[in-house]
Amino acid sequence: MKHGSIRRGWVRCVAGLCIASSVCAGERVTLIGDESYPPYCFVENGRFKGMYIDILEKAAAKLKPAYTIDLQPRPWKRGLADLEFGSAFALFPPGLKRERSYIDHYSVAIYRETVVVFCNDAVMATPRKHFPEDFAGLTIGVNLGFLLSDRLMQASKQGTVKLEAASSNEANLKKLAGHRIDCYASDRNAAHYSARQLRSYFATTGFRLQEAVELSGEDTFIGYSGKNNPPYKGDFMARMDAALETMKKNGEMAKIVAEYLK
């Protein structure tokens, strides 16, 4: 009887420790990401995958047992809306944009993307080395919901170029190959990855991806909603930043990147 009382007291003590510390049970945190941005993050055969997924899964392992992280795909524009209205906690991989005032904190940079302009063969028959003057009057495809470059957005506002949005890299590349747009502005790695996936499609047209000019380099981040503020937010952001910094220093991040860009 005495032994049973001691055991019950020990159980109550352990339970009390669990209640006092989130580390015992852990918090489950959902990060949403672009569902159609290969090779960085995309859905294929029902699986969410890509370079950013691999990086964030590795970082997530470093946050256990305090946090268990779920990575969920979203259409990009819907993801931005979820972030703006607070129905999502965090979204990856936005660049740093003044227009998105609803993002109240950005993580440390995950990767630096390079935005370039690709043009079809008819346009490339004329040298296109200076942006925006060499692109005046042209229609440039962009991915829906993406704000790629301040230089590009400014040229659009001034009426120098016309922007036309499509849903994905693949859709824009097909439009470029079919001369339905003059050029396509995209991250270099994303465009080349998607072009490789469309090799058989392009084989019948003789299309090849031709780079005209580099627009900008842009860091990408996890962006946190200003309207979604659980008690653990500050602690989670600090731990995630520390995990990403560790991966940069120990070479884990570079190894993942190399696998996707080889």
Side-chain angles (χ1 to χ4, degrees), residues 23-255:
V23 173
C24 187
E27 296 282 357
R28 183 168 291 274
V29 179
T30 298
L31 307 181
I32 61 174
D34 189 0
E35 70 176 15
S36 184
Y37 191 34
Y40 298 112
C41 42
F42 58 104
V43 176
E44 185 175 75
N45 298 323
R47 182 179 163 224
F48 199 22
K49 59 191 294 188
M51 189 173 92
Y52 290 149
I53 304 304
D54 290 356
I55 289 171
L56 292 175
E57 284 181 344
K58 182 78 73 170
K62 300 181 188 303
L63 270 63
K64 289 183 176 179
Y67 298 97
T68 298
I69 298 175
D70 293 325
L71 305 177
Q72 296 183 5
R74 292 286 191 283
W76 184 244
K77 286 200 73 174
R78 179 184 160 194
L80 289 170
D82 287 347
L83 205 63
E84 182 175 7
F85 295 108
S87 53
F89 174 63
L91 170 73
F92 62 92
L96 189 60
K97 301 295 184 184
R98 294 187 300 273
E99 297 91 330
R100 295 172 182 157
S101 58
Y102 49 86
I103 298 177
D104 73 344
H105 183 85
Y106 289 86
S107 69
V108 298
I110 302 174
Y111 181 69
R112 187 165 182 82
E113 299 178 5
T114 303
V115 178
V116 300
V117 177
F118 303 93
C119 297
N120 62 43
D121 52 1
V123 171
M124 291 296 285
T126 301
R128 310 281 177 176
K129 297 181 179 180
H130 304 287
F131 189 90
E133 53 267 35
D134 290 347
F135 297 79
L138 298 183
T139 298
I140 300 178
V142 295
N143 286 359
L144 193 66
F146 277 75
L147 303 175
L148 284 169
S149 161
D150 289 340
R151 292 172 68 195
L152 181 63
M153 303 310 294
Q154 187 65 25
S156 173
K157 288 177 183 177
Q158 292 174 345
T160 307
V161 300
K162 177 185 176 183
L163 301 186
E164 186 173 307
S167 60
S168 65
N169 299 336
E170 291 81 359
N172 269 307
L173 287 172
K174 288 178 179 179
K175 289 172 69 175
L176 186 63
H179 290 212
R180 288 178 284 141
I181 53 176
D182 300 305
C183 303
Y184 172 42
S186 172
D187 169 72
R188 178 184 281 126
N189 296 328
H192 280 290
Y193 181 90
S194 295
R196 287 195 295 271
Q197 308 308 303
L198 293 169
R199 271 187 300 235
S200 59
Y201 177 87
F202 292 142
T204 57
T205 66
F207 171 78
R208 63 190 179 90
L209 197 57
Q210 300 181 75
E211 183 176 322
V213 66
E214 182 177 311
L215 287 180
S216 64
E218 181 174 61
D219 291 331
T220 57
F221 308 87
I222 302 168
Y224 296 89
S225 172
K227 291 187 177 179
N228 192 313
N229 299 294
Y232 57 78
K233 185 174 183 178
D235 180 67
F236 177 87
M237 293 190 299
R239 288 178 188 246
M240 176 56 77
D241 282 355
L244 292 171
E245 290 286 16
T246 295
M247 291 176 64
K248 290 178 183 180
K249 290 176 182 176
N250 66 16
E252 288 177 297
M253 193 174 291
K255 184 177 180 181

